[in-house]
Amino acid sequence: MSMLTPPGMGGKYRVTGAAYPRMSRKRSRPRIVLAILGSVLALALVGYGALQLIDVFRGDSPKRNTAAGAKDCPTTPPKGAAKGGPAAASTASAAAKPAVVLPPPGEITVNVYNATPRAGLAKAVGDELAKRGFVIGHVGNAPADFDKKVPGTGILLGSPTTDKAAFSVLGTQLAGTTQQNDTRESADIDLILGDAFKELSTKEDADKALALLANPVPAPATC
C-alpha cells in the first residue's frame, strides 16, 4: 500500500501518477425544490407589483375611484343632522309637505262648452265634473269663435290672472288640452270640448294625476 492511499481504501483506490479520486457531497434534492419555488414566488411578486404601479399611473385604482365617488356624492349627513336632531326633524317635515299647493276642485268654477256635433256632450261632462267636486257654471254650445273649430281634445280658456294651478287641476280630468287666455277678469275657466274628445279620464287616473301634481317625484341624483 502506498503512502498516498487514503486510509480505509485498501488497494482498490491506489493513487498512481497525478490521478486521484474526487470526494464530493451529494446535492440535497429538497433544497433544489425550495430554491425553484422561491424563484417562482419572487417573480410573481415582482409582476404583481408592476401591475399595481401601472394601475396607479393610469388612475384605475379602486381606492382612487371610490374616493372620487365619495367626493362627488357625499354621504355624510350635515352637521346637526344626527338622528332625532333638529335638522333631521326639519328635513323629514319638509319631505312630508306637498311640493305644490293646489286649489281643491270645490274652489274652481268650470263653464263647459261643446264645440263638437255631438248633442248633449257638454251636459254629460258637466254632470261628471260636478260629481268630482268642481263647481259648474254655464253649460251649452261653444261660442262661434270655437264652434266646430277645436280639432283637439279641448281648450282651457281663462283670465291671465287665473291661478295656473287651477288650470292644472282641471287638466288632470282629461288629457291633451291646451291653455289659452282671454280678457275676462273673473277666475272661472271655460272647458271647450273639441272633436278629439272621447271621455273624461277615469276618477282613479285623475286622482293619481292630482297626487303626482301635488307631490312631484324628485329627479334621481347623478353621481
Side-chain angles (χ1 to χ4, degrees):
M1 181 181 297
S2 171
M3 295 293 293
L4 298 177
T5 301
M9 293 289 184
K12 185 176 180 180
Y13 297 96
R14 186 179 300 277
V15 179
T16 59
Y20 59 91
R22 295 181 180 274
M23 304 298 292
S24 59
R25 300 175 62 183
K26 294 183 179 181
R27 294 185 177 180
S28 177
R29 180 173 297 178
R31 291 185 179 180
I32 297 175
V33 174
L34 291 176
I36 294 174
L37 291 177
S39 300
V40 173
L41 181 60
L43 290 174
L45 291 175
V46 171
Y48 179 77
L51 290 176
Q52 293 298 315
L53 288 176
I54 292 174
D55 289 341
V56 170
F57 284 116
R58 286 182 178 177
D60 296 336
S61 174
K63 291 183 179 180
R64 182 173 180 177
N65 292 338
T66 302
K71 183 177 180 180
D72 294 338
C73 302
T75 56
T76 304
K79 187 176 181 180
K83 183 177 180 181
S90 61
T91 302
S93 177
K97 293 180 179 179
V100 179
V101 178
L102 301 175
E107 295 181 2
I108 302 175
T109 299
V110 185
N111 305 312
V112 185
Y113 296 111
N114 182 13
T116 76
R118 297 163 57 185
L121 185 60
K123 184 177 185 307
V125 171
D127 291 343
E128 180 60 28
L129 289 176
K131 293 179 182 178
R132 300 184 184 186
F134 292 89
V135 178
I136 304 302
H138 300 287
V139 176
N141 294 327
D145 292 343
F146 296 97
D147 191 26
K148 313 298 189 299
K149 299 176 183 178
V150 181
T153 301
I155 297 174
L156 303 182
L157 183 64
S159 169
T161 60
T162 301
D163 186 2
K164 301 302 180 183
F167 282 99
S168 299
V169 171
L170 181 56
T172 61
Q173 307 303 309
L174 67 165
T177 57
T178 59
Q179 296 181 13
Q180 296 183 17
N181 297 122
D182 56 13
T183 58
R184 79 183 68 189
E185 297 181 356
S186 57
D188 58 336
I189 300 175
D190 293 348
L191 171 57
I192 305 175
L193 303 173
D195 293 334
F197 176 81
K198 301 300 181 183
E199 59 184 2
L200 293 174
S201 301
T202 64
K203 181 67 164 55
E204 181 181 0
D205 290 342
D207 290 343
K208 289 180 180 179
L210 277 172
L212 184 61
L213 191 64
N215 299 279
V217 178
T222 56
C223 300

